[in-house]
C-alpha cells in the first residue's frame, strides 16, 4: 500500500501495547498521527473515536461509507461522524483490508453463534464499555466500530463470509486525528473463528505529535 506520511523516524509521545483480548482508551490532539501495529499477525482491532470536547460527535462507519461511496477503506480515506465531519484520515496502510459494516463482537453475539460456545467470553463491546466508563460514556452511546485488519469479503450476491485477517507480524496502519479525539481500541478476543487465526494477540499503539 502507498504511504502518505512517514512517522516512524519521529519520537512517539505515547507508546504502549494493548494485551491480547484487552482494550484501551486514550486521548490525542488534532493533527496527531496514530500508528497501530499488529505485533504477531492476524489480529483484528476494533476502533471507535469521539470528539474529545463533545462525545455526541463520534465515528459513524455507515456515514463514512455513504460519504466515500465505497465499503473498502485504505490510505487517503476518511472516517467521519453522522454529520460527515472528518474525525480520522488513514495516512498509511500496509494491509488494505478492513471492515466497516460488521461492528463489534458482543455478549449477545457470543451467545448466538458458534453454538453458544463463546458465551461468557470477553468481547470488544465489553472492552469499550469498561474503557469508556470513566469518561461517562454509556454502553448505548458506543458507536459501531471500524475493524482494522478484519477480513470480511463480500461476494457479488452480497454474501459476507468470515476469513482470517490479512495482517502479518509488524503490519501497521496510521491515522491522522482531524480533531482532538478520545479513541478506544479493542484487540478482538474472538478465538472460535478464523478471524484472529483462533489466537488473539497483542497490538502496539504509537502516537506522534501534530505536524500542524
Ligand atoms: Zn471483537
Amino acid at each position: 500500500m502507498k504511504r502518505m506520511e512517514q512517522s516512524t523516524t519521529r519520537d512517539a509521545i505515547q507508546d504502549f501495547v494493548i494485551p491480547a483480548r484487552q482494550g484501551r482508551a486514550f486521548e490525542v490532539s488534532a493533527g496527531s498521527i496514530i500508528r497501530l501495529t499488529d505485533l504477531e499477525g492476524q489480529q483484528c482491532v476494533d476502533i471507535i473515536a469521539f470528539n474529545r470536547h463533545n462525545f455526541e460527535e463520534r465515528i459513524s462507519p455507515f456515514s463514512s461509507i455513504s460519504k466515500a461511496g465505497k465499503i473498502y477503506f485504505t490510505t487517503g480515506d476518511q472516517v467521519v461522524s453522522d454529520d460527515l465531519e472528518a474525525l480520522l484520515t488513514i495516512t498509511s496502510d500496509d494491509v488494505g483490508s478492513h471492515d466497516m459494516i460488521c461492528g463489534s463482537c458482543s455478549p449477545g453475539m457470543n451467545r448466538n453463534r458458534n453454538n453458544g460456545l463463546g458465551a461468557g467470553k470477553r468481547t470488544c463491546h465489553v472492552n469499550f464499555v469498561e474503557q469508556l466508563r470513566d469518561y461517562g460514556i454509556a454502553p448505548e452511546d458506543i458507536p459501531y466500530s471500524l475493524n482494522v485488519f478484519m477480513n470480511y469479503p463480500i461476494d457479488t450476491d452480497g454474501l459476507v463470509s468470515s476469513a482470517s485477517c490479512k495482517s502479518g507480524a509488524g503490519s501497521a496502519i496510521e491515522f491522522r486525528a482531524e480533531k482532538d479525539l478520545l479513541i478506544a481500541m479493542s484487540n478482538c478476543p474472538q478465538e472460535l473463528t478464523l478471524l484472529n487465526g483462533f489466537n488473539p494477540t497483542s497490538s502496539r499503539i504509537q502516537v506522534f505529535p501534530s505536524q500542524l
Side-chain angles (χ1 to χ4, degrees):
M1 295 297 121
K2 63 181 177 177
R3 176 174 289 268
M4 291 176 66
E5 300 193 25
Q6 176 56 265
S7 61
T8 52
T9 58
R10 291 179 283 150
D11 292 331
I13 51 177
Q14 297 186 58
D15 191 343
F16 53 88
V17 170
I18 304 176
R21 299 181 175 83
Q22 301 297 311
R24 176 83 178 259
F26 57 100
E27 298 178 42
V28 300
S29 299
S32 300
I33 297 293
I34 303 105
R35 180 177 177 85
L36 163 63
T37 303
D38 183 347
L39 293 176
E40 298 183 49
Q42 292 189 322
Q43 178 61 45
C44 172
V45 182
D46 290 23
I47 298 177
I48 57 177
F50 303 77
N51 180 329
R52 201 169 76 193
H53 310 293
N54 172 19
F55 292 158
E56 291 185 3
E57 185 173 64
R58 55 202 173 206
I59 68 161
S60 168
F62 303 118
S63 295
S64 303
I65 291 168
S66 178
K67 183 179 183 185
K70 61 179 181 179
I71 56 174
Y72 295 130
F73 279 48
T74 187
T75 306
D77 293 325
Q78 290 192 318
V79 183
V80 303
S81 68
D82 279 329
D83 291 331
L84 306 189
E85 288 281 319
L87 298 182
L88 291 165
T89 300
I90 301 173
T91 55
S92 172
D93 181 5
D94 290 341
V95 177
S97 174
H98 316 289
D99 169 69
M100 299 288 284
I101 65 171
C102 289
S104 299
C105 59
S106 64
M109 192 180 290
N110 273 1
R111 287 193 300 271
N112 284 286
R113 65 181 187 185
N114 299 310
N115 297 316
L117 292 174
K121 292 182 182 289
R122 182 162 281 275
T123 68
C124 289
H125 193 263
V126 168
N127 281 342
F128 287 146
V129 170
E130 290 179 355
Q131 291 295 316
L132 296 171
R133 186 177 291 139
D134 288 348
Y135 290 92
I137 296 174
E140 59 269 27
D141 292 327
I142 293 172
Y144 244 58
S145 55
L146 155 68
N147 303 318
V148 165
F149 304 139
M150 185 170 178
N151 183 19
Y152 247 36
I154 303 169
D155 75 11
T156 53
D157 293 326
L159 295 173
V160 181
S161 58
S162 181
S164 297
C165 289
K166 292 182 178 177
S167 50
S171 294
I173 186 170
E174 293 186 4
F175 299 90
R176 182 177 60 242
E178 300 299 348
K179 297 191 177 191
D180 294 343
L181 298 176
L182 168 63
I183 296 174
M185 298 189 182
S186 169
N187 279 328
C188 183
Q190 291 296 317
E191 58 190 14
L192 299 175
T193 70
L194 284 170
L195 175 62
N196 299 311
F198 301 103
N199 180 34
T201 52
S202 59
S203 301
R204 181 184 184 187
I205 309 301
Q206 296 163 283
V207 179
F208 300 92
S210 170
Q211 294 181 313
L212 299 177

